Amino acid sequence: MGWAIPVAAQLDNITNREAISALKTALDKGSRAAVDQLGRENGFFGDTRVKIPLPESLKRAERTMRRLGMGKYADELVLTMNRAAEAAMPEAKQLLVDSVKKMTVQDAKGILTGGETSGTEYFKRTTTDQLRKRFLPIVKKSTEKVGLAQKYNQYAERGVAFGLVKQEHANLDDYVTQKALDGLYFMVAEEEKKIRKDPVGTASSIIKKVFGALL
């Protein structure tokens, strides 16, 4: 059941300040771990949970390319997309840390009494727009280096015109940026669930004290 539903009797000796401090420590710890994990080489490309594939709308084209002996192009495109997401990750750390610092008492209470990923949902609400703006230029720079974005966009625009490609997949950089965000919040959620499940396994005494009481 985790620590989603606090029991008053278990929290008698824990102050609001301690509870909020523990929450902030946990979210800070989890978000840093997620960024570090995804921001290294193969952070995205080597993890099937977050690896960025070609958009579903282009899977048919990918199969055709491979039949025609053009699989190298498809592989290069997939690798470039994932490398771009990895390169963008360091931008997330400070924004996530700042989001924790700006958390209100009301925010904290909602997260403490919320579900197992309520902290991650808080991050989504408070950082998505800023992260998108930070990620996009880095993604563009990465895809421009190999000249793949222009080829992709030309193909995708024609696909949209014929109803073969979804509009939201028509721009490679926008697609990769969204997938990078999805991967980041997925990993933050995994870290949050880990801390909620095993607070005693964390290094912080305040996390052990508060979240241990909420188990």
Side-chain angles (χ1 to χ4, degrees):
M1 187 169 64
W3 44 266
I5 304 175
V7 179
Q10 295 175 316
L11 298 175
D12 285 345
N13 297 320
I14 297 174
T15 66
N16 279 342
R17 181 177 295 179
E18 284 179 318
I20 292 170
S21 176
L23 174 64
K24 288 187 174 184
T25 301
L27 292 179
D28 182 86
K29 178 183 173 69
S31 62
R32 287 175 187 271
V35 170
D36 289 343
Q37 188 170 338
L38 292 174
R40 63 192 180 196
E41 185 172 326
N42 293 327
F44 274 84
F45 190 72
D47 189 334
T48 55
R49 298 173 300 170
V50 293
K51 183 178 179 180
I52 302 174
L54 288 175
E56 285 298 322
S57 306
L58 296 185
K59 286 297 175 68
R60 184 184 301 175
E62 180 185 13
R63 289 193 291 270
T64 301
M65 288 167 68
R66 293 192 186 282
R67 282 201 302 271
L68 297 175
M70 296 170 65
K72 182 181 177 182
Y73 171 79
D75 292 339
E76 187 179 3
L77 182 53
V78 170
L79 179 61
T80 299
M81 291 191 303
N82 284 275
R83 289 287 184 260
E86 290 161 9
M89 282 302 109
E91 289 291 313
K93 187 172 290 185
Q94 193 57 51
L95 280 175
L96 293 173
V97 168
D98 288 346
S99 179
V100 171
K101 289 178 180 177
K102 294 174 184 176
M103 184 183 297
T104 67
V105 172
Q106 197 62 39
D107 290 329
K109 286 181 178 178
I111 296 169
L112 281 167
T113 58
E116 64 176 357
T117 60
S118 54
T120 304
E121 293 304 315
Y122 167 77
F123 278 137
K124 284 183 182 180
R125 292 194 304 273
T126 58
T127 64
T128 295
D129 290 343
Q130 289 173 291
L131 283 175
R132 194 186 305 279
K133 290 175 184 175
R134 293 274 189 98
F135 283 2
L136 190 56
I138 298 170
V139 169
K140 282 183 177 179
K141 188 175 181 181
S142 298
T143 56
E144 282 171 1
K145 282 181 182 177
V146 289
L148 291 174
Q150 186 177 0
K151 294 176 185 176
Y152 172 96
N153 293 339
Q154 288 173 348
Y155 171 84
E157 284 169 10
R158 289 199 296 272
V160 170
F162 289 102
L164 300 174
V165 177
K166 294 179 181 178
Q167 184 65 50
E168 61 267 29
H169 294 167
N171 181 279
L172 180 67
D173 299 323
D174 290 340
Y175 170 74
V176 174
T177 297
Q178 182 58 52
K179 286 297 184 183
L181 287 167
D182 292 345
L184 172 62
Y185 292 127
F186 170 82
M187 201 60 71
V188 170
E190 291 298 291
E191 291 295 327
E192 182 182 0
K193 286 187 281 188
K194 192 187 305 180
I195 292 170
R196 287 178 183 266
K197 185 177 180 181
D198 182 25
V200 178
T202 66
S204 170
S205 59
I206 189 68
I207 293 177
K208 292 177 185 177
K209 180 177 180 181
V210 175
F211 295 154
L214 291 169
L215 283 172

